[in-house]
Amino acid sequence: MADEESPSDKGNSLRQRARERLGARGTDVSVMSLEDTQALVEELQVHQEELAIQNEELQEIREALERARDRYRDLFQQAPVGYLILDNHGHILEANWQATELLGVSRGVVEERPFSEYIAADSQDAWFLHRRALAREGGRQATELVLAPAGDQRRVVRVETVPEAGADPDQLRYRSALIDITESKQDEEALLEGERRKDEFLSLLGHELSNPLTPITSLSEHLLNYWDQLDAERIREAVLIIRQQSHHLARMVEELLDLSRVKQGRLILRKTEVDAREIARQALDAVSPRLEEQQQGLQVELPEFPLTTFADPTRLEQILSNLLRNACKFTPAGGTIRLSGTREGEWVVLFVSDTGKGIPPEHLSGIFDDVGQKPYQDPNSGGLGLGLSLVRRLVELHEGRVEARSPGEGQGATFLVCLPAA
């Protein structure tokens, strides 16, 4: 291999070529007049200045290109959207900061790795179809993928990819934008879930309202058609059933209206200083016929000292009545309902416990949800499942809290209501 030419050799060669060109033009500096020599020197100085100006302009252009490159690099790295540059095989050649955040790795780790390694199994087919569309159709292609970063939550991204010419004309590179749409997808799923639960609730509402309406309607028709043929006892039994079912229907409608008022901020509390023991006894009086009917035992443990709180008496009775009715509903005949209360620091605490079917641990967090019966409940138990939701809303309006506890299914449950002590 021949030795490379040194800078001095290059300079001598260039000078020799210049001399030869001057000789070809018939220019002999040695015989030039003084005026010609001065003109030539001046021309050389002008050329020298021109070269200097050109060098300055080239330097400015190079600096501008470097600044533009730096701006592009900053925009690329700091963009709020993830960007990847991929080779023809789907390997990552370059990734900006947001892309590495979405993939859950550092830039040094991600480069040269297949992008498919960071795609969830259920999105691999979508990625394959995306690449095939790029190969067949070119242009801009888009798809949605689920990324599964190591040790992080899954992210849903919209991927938009366009081809670009690489250094080798025979090889294509691809630019992919990764747009994080996880939150919008979650909002969309939440909206769909809300619609589904609303539909379930409307179906349940129609079913539950028809339950008391059916005996009310049928018994009313029976009384009208056969009044002269019925004795007083049969008439009394029919009227009692109609009254019972009417009260049940009215209570469901009132729960619906109350929950609607609370959620719209239209329910007004009329607070006053009350003894929670007295309110608890009124709630017991309201549900005692049901306790007797279902042959359930009752234990009341209230202290001798007042449990004074600042509350709306009507709504506080409604809270406790709903909790007691809920305990009755899920406690079999022969079971026990327990109502107790105490004062703990700055709180009045009331407990409603039962020996009923209990609540599985996985359902405790959703026990006060607004819509529909809870998943662990017997769909034939009756009711809209709004009682506990209304309890939570009313307790929160009183600046208190309500909590459900249960050792597990078949082991009973306890609901405690904490209200600020007066």
Side-chain angles (χ1 to χ4, degrees):
M1 182 176 179
D3 295 336
E4 292 187 1
E5 193 176 21
S6 67
S8 61
D9 293 337
K10 289 182 178 179
N12 292 333
S13 175
L14 184 61
R15 190 176 297 110
Q16 180 62 34
R17 289 167 57 195
R19 289 183 183 277
E20 292 175 353
R21 183 175 296 183
L22 285 172
R25 293 176 181 172
T27 304
D28 186 354
V29 180
S30 61
V31 298
M32 291 177 61
S33 67
L34 179 60
E35 292 180 357
D36 290 339
T37 302
Q38 290 176 341
L40 179 59
V41 170
E42 183 180 351
E43 185 177 352
L44 288 173
Q45 290 174 339
V46 171
H47 282 307
Q48 184 178 1
E49 287 302 318
E50 287 178 347
L51 289 173
I53 292 172
Q54 288 176 350
N55 284 335
E56 290 174 0
E57 291 176 347
L58 288 173
Q59 180 65 22
E60 290 176 358
I61 292 171
R62 185 177 70 178
E63 291 174 355
L65 288 173
E66 290 177 351
R67 288 194 299 270
R69 183 190 62 189
D70 292 341
R71 284 196 298 271
Y72 165 76
R73 178 62 54 188
D74 290 341
L75 289 171
F76 178 79
Q77 293 299 339
Q78 303 302 325
V81 173
Y83 286 107
L84 297 176
I85 297 177
L86 306 172
D87 66 15
N88 200 32
H89 303 289
H91 289 69
I92 300 171
L93 300 177
E94 196 170 351
N96 73 342
W97 176 82
Q98 182 64 19
T100 58
E101 286 289 304
L102 289 171
L103 301 181
V105 292
S106 63
R107 193 183 310 161
V109 173
V110 75
E111 291 178 358
E112 305 299 332
R113 305 294 301 175
F115 179 43
S116 58
E117 288 187 1
Y118 306 98
I119 299 174
D122 51 358
S123 285
Q124 290 289 340
D125 288 346
W127 173 239
F128 170 78
L129 294 174
H130 183 67
R131 289 187 59 201
R132 188 167 69 175
L134 283 167
R136 291 184 174 181
E137 304 171 19
R140 180 182 296 271
Q141 300 294 332
T143 189
E144 289 184 7
L145 300 175
V146 178
L147 303 181
D152 201 354
Q153 63 176 345
R154 288 157 55 103
R155 310 295 298 178
V156 183
V157 295
R158 176 176 173 80
V159 180
E160 296 184 1
T161 305
V162 294
E164 68 173 14
D168 185 345
D170 296 328
Q171 293 292 329
L172 282 177
R173 298 197 310 176
Y174 297 91
R175 291 182 287 121
S176 291
L178 311 182
I179 305 165
D180 190 351
I181 57 172
T182 304
E183 291 187 4
S184 62
K185 293 295 286 188
Q186 290 173 344
D187 292 342
E188 180 182 334
E189 291 171 1
L191 182 62
L192 291 174
E193 176 65 13
E195 289 294 322
R196 184 189 65 80
R197 296 182 67 187
K198 183 183 73 174
D199 291 342
E200 287 183 355
F201 177 71
L202 290 175
S203 175
L204 176 66
L205 177 63
H207 173 72
E208 290 301 327
L209 291 179
S210 69
N211 283 342
L213 283 173
T214 298
I216 290 172
T217 303
S218 61
L219 286 173
S220 300
E221 292 289 342
H222 188 73
L223 288 174
L224 286 173
N225 293 331
Y226 302 100
W227 181 272
D228 296 337
Q229 304 174 31
L230 298 173
D231 57 32
E233 184 61 26
R234 293 291 299 278
I235 293 174
R236 183 176 182 279
E237 290 176 358
V239 172
L240 286 174
I241 293 174
I242 291 174
R243 185 181 70 171
Q244 180 188 35
Q245 295 300 322
S246 298
H247 288 170
H248 179 50
L249 179 60
R251 188 165 57 249
M252 284 194 293
V253 172
E254 190 61 29
E255 282 183 351
L256 274 172
L257 294 175
D258 281 343
L259 192 58
S260 175
R261 294 187 193 105
V262 171
K263 294 174 80 170
Q264 295 177 24
R266 294 191 295 108
L267 191 142
I268 300 174
L269 295 182
R270 293 174 172 81
K271 291 184 178 181
T272 185
E273 192 174 283
V274 297
D275 185 350
R277 298 177 305 169
E278 296 301 321
I279 306 299
R281 293 187 181 101
Q282 294 172 19
L284 282 172
D285 290 341
V287 300
S288 57
R290 183 167 181 175
L291 288 169
E292 295 176 4
E293 179 184 343
Q294 298 186 191
Q295 300 178 343
Q296 294 165 335
L298 175 65
Q299 295 179 357
V300 180
E301 299 178 10
L302 296 172
E304 295 182 359
F305 55 85
L307 297 176
T308 309
T309 184
F310 197 63
D312 183 321
T314 301
R315 296 305 177 181
L316 182 53
E317 180 183 347
Q318 186 177 9
I319 290 169
L320 295 176
S321 297
N322 279 359
L323 290 177
L324 288 167
R325 275 195 291 268
N326 185 75
C328 293
K329 182 189 298 185
F330 298 106
T331 300
T336 302
I337 312 297
R338 179 172 175 263
L339 174 63
S340 60
T342 188
R343 177 163 178 165
E344 297 180 359
E346 299 300 317
W347 297 94
V348 168
V349 186
L350 300 167
F351 300 87
V352 176
S353 303
D354 62 66
T355 59
K357 64 181 297 183
I359 306 169
E362 64 270 20
H363 294 310
L364 280 172
S365 61
I367 193 72
F368 297 104
D369 285 351
D370 284 344
V371 180
Q373 291 180 321
K374 311 307 179 282
Y376 70 90
Q377 294 181 357
D378 180 0
N380 298 319
S381 60
L384 297 173
L386 297 179
L388 294 181
S389 304
L390 185 58
V391 165
R392 176 176 64 89
R393 299 274 185 168
L394 291 175
V395 170
E396 289 174 350
L397 284 178
H398 283 84
E399 300 178 355
R401 73 178 192 278
V402 61
E403 182 181 341
R405 299 173 181 173
S406 177
E409 198 165 2
Q411 303 181 62
T414 297
F415 290 83
L416 60 93
V417 175
C418 299
L419 300 172

